[in-house]
Amino acid sequence: MSDKITKKLKLKVSAISEGTVIDHIPSENLFKVISILELDKTPNMITFGANLDSGKLDKKAIIKVSHQFFADDDINRIALIAPNAKLNIIKDYEVVEKKIVEVPDRVVGIVKCFNPKCITNNEPVTTSFKVIGKEPLALKCKYCEKITHEHQMVIK
Amino acid sequence: MKRDLISITDYSKEDYLRIMELAADFERNPNQRLLEGKVVASLFFEPSTRTRLSFETAINRLGGRIIGFTDSNSSSVTKGETLHDTIKMVSNYADLIVMRHPLEGSARYAAEVSTIPIINAGDGANQHPTQTLLDMYSIQKTQGRLDNINIFMVGDLKYGRTVHSLLMAMSEFENPIFNFIAPEELEMPEEYKIFLRDKGIRYFEHREFTDIISEADIVYMTRVQKERFSDPIEYEQVKNVYILRNSMLANTKPTMRILHPLPRVNEIHTDVDSSEKAYYFQQALNGMYTREAIIAHTLNLK
């Protein structure tokens, strides 16, 4: 019992009894992660913090979502903007499972095609890419067949 | 499942060979009323007289009826209708859509929206697969084979979609050799060279356009377009370097043939036109037979 209390005191964002903690998000992408995971629409309790000190990243962000768990396919959608994100699955204040995100083989939505003459930049068409390189990222557009490289990536 | 033709790589080697066989059949007998009672929509969101006439003649020779428009000014696009809605509507009416559109990826998107097959007649600078198939038919016809072909590609190899598609398609056949002749600014993109290296296919790059073409089975000429250059001085420097003249043909193989997707500007001197090695006008005619073949294959008419 006392162990749990000390742990809680160290936390800058209050602990949750049950749900998912997404840690090690680059601070500047916090709101994009919220939007991609549609947490702005969830009825569940969410707490988040940004610009927290981190050993790995300069400044990290963290999101805690109560009573919500994510399928791997859903969570991998944030891999492009939070490649080092770590998930802790919480049950009864304890971490019962840890997950890391992986860049998926296909990226649907999220990223804009860099080609201004692509149909997806001119009509309301959801983008779709085949991931042809993961480090650095290279995305081949299903429509115009051009390759969007990591340095050209713009998140929708 | 419907069979679209959006990119040249949508077809397998078997499809290529089937098109060659069908095109030869239509060349022997161009008027076969296989499209009798069928309606083909010819949707040209940007004008392309050459391609449109070739397709529409093919459709007519197959006995089909045509609906459509020749540029977007005469369609509901001017009222702001989306491509999605135009395609949805037309696929209610017709049996097949042939479409040309200035935006890249528009044909792939249309194929997703449409319930009837789509043949891409050019989507911006992206794909123009029927051109590639007619190029292949021209090679097959003049060389009697698609294996063991030594192709010299000349001019704009960076932006020229026809050379990229032809490279991909010919790589499906045995032992091709590619020779690229282009200025540094317009050389073959690295991704295609990587593709060839991965497949173990030989290619050579040259800056000078000289008598190295003596080894060629096919010389594939392209236009060097002024708008591709950021620096007009660079264009002036290279525009007259890659011109094919009759005098350069002296040491070439007797069976060598010159192809060009047309229209040409000055990259093939008119003194070449009278050479028996000049094949670009017959190549255009082959386009009609090839398009009859593609339509028949798409709708499984033969």
Side-chain angles (χ1 to χ4, degrees), chain B residues 69-295:
Chain B
F69 45 84
T70 58
D71 71 89
S72 54
N73 291 331
S74 56
S75 80
S76 50
V77 176
T78 51
K79 295 179 188 165
E81 186 176 62
T82 60
L83 177 63
H84 174 275
D85 291 3
T86 306
I87 296 295
K88 273 279 179 219
M89 181 201 61
V90 172
S91 60
N92 285 337
Y93 300 150
D95 301 290
L96 170 70
I97 292 173
V98 173
M99 77 173 255
R100 170 95 164 199
H101 198 287
L103 290 173
E104 296 159 26
S106 53
R108 181 74 63 198
Y109 177 61
E112 285 181 357
V113 171
S114 171
T115 52
I116 60 174
I118 303 248
I119 296 174
N120 182 8
D123 59 330
N126 184 32
Q127 297 285 333
H128 192 10
T130 64
Q131 175 71 47
T132 309
L133 289 162
L134 79 87
D135 293 342
M136 291 168 80
Y137 182 56
S138 299
I139 295 171
Q140 165 74 43
K141 219 176 116 176
T142 59
Q143 309 299 314
R145 63 183 198 276
L146 288 168
D147 296 319
N148 304 303
I149 299 288
N150 187 342
I151 305 183
F152 280 67
M153 295 175 163
V154 185
D156 178 359
L157 306 187
K158 185 174 180 185
Y159 300 100
R161 61 184 177 186
T162 56
V163 291
H164 300 158
S165 297
L166 187 59
L167 179 153
M168 300 295 289
M170 291 303 289
S171 296
E172 291 292 312
F173 293 87
E174 295 301 314
N175 198 32
I177 302 175
F178 293 99
N179 282 278
F180 305 134
I181 306 179
E184 194 181 349
E185 300 83 352
L186 295 176
E187 67 180 31
M188 185 58 76
E190 196 56 34
E191 56 182 290
Y192 292 99
K193 292 187 240 168
I194 293 170
F195 171 81
L196 292 176
R197 287 201 292 271
D198 286 350
K199 292 200 83 163
I201 293 171
R202 285 171 293 170
Y203 70 87
F204 305 94
E205 294 185 275
H206 317 271
R207 291 272 177 265
E208 304 286 307
F209 188 20
T210 57
D211 56 6
I212 50 171
I213 59 170
S214 62
E215 294 298 309
D217 295 309
I218 294 290
V219 173
Y220 197 99
M221 298 294 299
T222 64
R223 244 178 321 151
V224 175
Q225 288 171 287
K226 193 175 183 176
E227 57 268 29
R228 303 300 190 200
F229 289 83
S230 47
D231 182 354
I233 298 166
E234 274 178 14
Y235 170 72
E236 293 303 321
Q237 282 166 349
V238 300
K239 73 169 185 186
N240 293 325
V241 178
Y242 300 99
I243 294 179
L244 182 65
R245 295 170 203 282
N246 200 33
S247 58
M248 296 163 71
L249 303 177
N251 295 320
T252 55
K253 290 185 186 177
T255 52
M256 185 277 267
R257 289 294 176 270
I258 303 154
L259 303 185
H260 189 300
L262 302 180
R264 72 169 154 180
V265 184
N266 67 340
E267 59 278 5
I268 301 178
H269 195 280
T270 49
D271 71 9
V272 177
D273 293 358
S274 55
S275 165
E276 61 178 12
K277 293 170 184 171
Y279 195 73
Y280 27 95
F281 295 117
Q282 290 98 312
Q283 181 188 359
L285 172 61
N286 289 339
M288 193 194 69
Y289 307 130
T290 310
R291 289 180 174 114
E292 287 189 82
I294 293 163
I295 292 168

Side-chain angles (χ1 to χ4, degrees), chain A residues 25-41 46-51 60-63 78 81-82 110 155-156:
Chain A
I25 300 165
S27 264
E28 66 272 20
N29 288 338
L30 168 64
F31 291 97
K32 284 176 182 162
V33 169
I34 288 174
S35 154
I36 289 170
L37 294 176
E38 300 185 339
L39 297 175
D40 45 351
K41 294 177 190 124
I46 302 173
T47 52
F48 59 81
N51 301 321
K60 68 167 186 176
I62 190 167
I63 305 172
I78 69 169
I81 53 166
I110 305 171
I155 306 293
K156 275 194 163 177

Side-chain angles (χ1 to χ4, degrees), chain A residues 115-120 122-126 140 142-147, chain B residues 7 82-84 101-106 108-109 112 123 125-127 191:
Chain A
N115 175 11
K117 294 198 73 187
C118 178
I119 186 77
T120 60
N122 292 275
E123 294 224 359
V125 181
T126 306
K140 185 169 184 179
K142 175 188 180 184
Y143 297 100
C144 75
E145 307 185 22
K146 298 274 183 300
I147 296 163
Chain B
S7 299
T82 60
L83 177 63
H84 174 275
H101 198 287
L103 290 173
E104 296 159 26
S106 53
R108 181 74 63 198
Y109 177 61
E112 285 181 357
D123 59 330
N126 184 32
Q127 297 285 333
E191 56 182 290

